[in-house]
Amino acid sequence: MEFLKTFTPELTIVSPGRINLIGEHTDYNMGYVLPTAIEKKIIFKLRKNGSDSVCHVYSETYDTGFDLNLNAIARSEVEWENYILGVLNEISVRTNKVRGFDCVLQSDLPTGSGLSSSAALECGLAFGLNELFDLGLSQLEIVQLAQTAEHTYVGTQCGIMDQFASVMSKSGHVILLDCESLEYDYIPIDLHPYKIILLNTKVSHNLASSAYNTRKRECEEGVAIIRRKHPKVKSLRNVTEEMLNASRPEMDATVFDRCSFIVAENKRVLQMANALRKKDLLWAGQLLYAAHHGISKLYEVSCPESDFLVEFSKDNPNVLGARQTGGGFGGCTLNIVHEDEVDAFIATASIAYKKEFDIALEAFEVKPSGGTLVA
Ligand code: GLA
């Protein structure tokens, strides 16, 4: 791309991916989540280019880019461009202060692996333009506009967790976020002598986006049935097991399973926060296994590859717990592994996974890290 010949950045933004320790699919059900940013990130190099409306975007990592005109923002056929275009569209609803800019991206955040490279892309751009053009957006506005961009331009009716974690995280902590009130608490996470190891299945099943929206609808269907008996209920957040069981006869079996996962998962998030506060790592591990069981059997957003890795980890007494992290249908499993066992665990898991699926496993340690910042 022509602009690269003279490109010198004015501003560099670091925008991280995230893991979610526990609380999957609870965010759009107005419940609790427990995510944190990780060190893997997208770096944005930005400058104003003097034009009124012409912008250039280039990804060094994927060697691909595109030009756009701020006066003619529309959805693209190319999926990743929609994360950028969606954010620009949302910003234009709020302010007309953005002018032509050049943007170069670098990433060490694997895409489609459940680590929210999409939120990192959306939030990093919004954060960067906010700095570059002095837009006056608050962190929460950045989070919310990035989430809306994903609804309108990408088509996933996602909750707020990923964008919130990417922007708001704090090193050494997980965020206990109440997705109804948006109140949050930073919970220190000290797993010593254990580490968080991610095993990347390297599969991202492409039904993920439509299946995600279906899960959301099934939960809403459950809420509508429960409301017949409990008109004050707004979301599964307000539903107890007793209320759910009382409505079971009126409910489709699948809808019941979806709802019962969410009701239990919300409880597990609060239990996990307590387990971390007490440093009860055995309990924390058990909660991960219980969560994965629900993800796989009740919410049905796992896949054979993730299930295999979680089952594999159960044979190793130095692994306290494991589960698939993120939206589902592949991506990474999150494992709590004793520091002395990390290499052996990765080696044996890689051999077993290769044998079963003929895929080279990717494995890495992650540390709870801080949110988006100016480098
Ligand atoms: C995706 C969505 C989030 C959340 C998770 C599942 O990452 O973007 O909002 O729903 O799935 O917990």
Side-chain angles (χ1 to χ4, degrees), residues 18 23-25 27-28 158-162 212 326-327:
R18 65 99 189 90
E24 227 59 88
H25 294 268
D27 58 354
Y28 55 82
C158 65
I160 200 165
M161 169 172 73
D162 301 347
Y212 185 95

Side-chain angles (χ1 to χ4, degrees), residues 3 7 44-46 56-58 101-105 125:
F3 85 94
F7 184 73
F44 290 72
K45 299 196 181 242
L46 292 156
H56 309 287
V57 180
Y58 173 71
F101 64 87
D102 298 336
C103 172
V104 173
L105 304 165
L125 180 68

Side-chain angles (χ1 to χ4, degrees), residues 162-187:
D162 301 347
Q163 292 78 10
F164 200 96
S166 186
V167 174
M168 306 293 289
S169 286
K170 184 165 151 184
S171 175
H173 294 73
V174 285
I175 311 176
L176 175 59
L177 171 65
D178 176 339
C179 298
E180 187 173 58
S181 66
L182 296 184
E183 278 168 17
Y184 59 99
D185 221 355
Y186 292 110
I187 314 274

Side-chain angles (χ1 to χ4, degrees), residues 18 20 22-29 32-33 114-116 118-119 122 147 150-151 156-163 212 261 265 295 299 301 323 325-328:
R18 65 99 189 90
N20 184 22
I22 203 161
E24 227 59 88
H25 294 268
T26 43
D27 58 354
Y28 55 82
N29 285 300
Y32 300 101
V33 291
L115 302 179
S116 284
S118 38
E122 295 150 2
Q147 181 197 14
E150 187 142 342
H151 292 181
T156 308
Q157 298 301 311
C158 65
I160 200 165
M161 169 172 73
D162 301 347
Q163 292 78 10
Y212 185 95
F261 168 72
E265 184 78 347
I295 284 169
Y299 219 65
V301 292
R323 68 174 200 86
T325 187

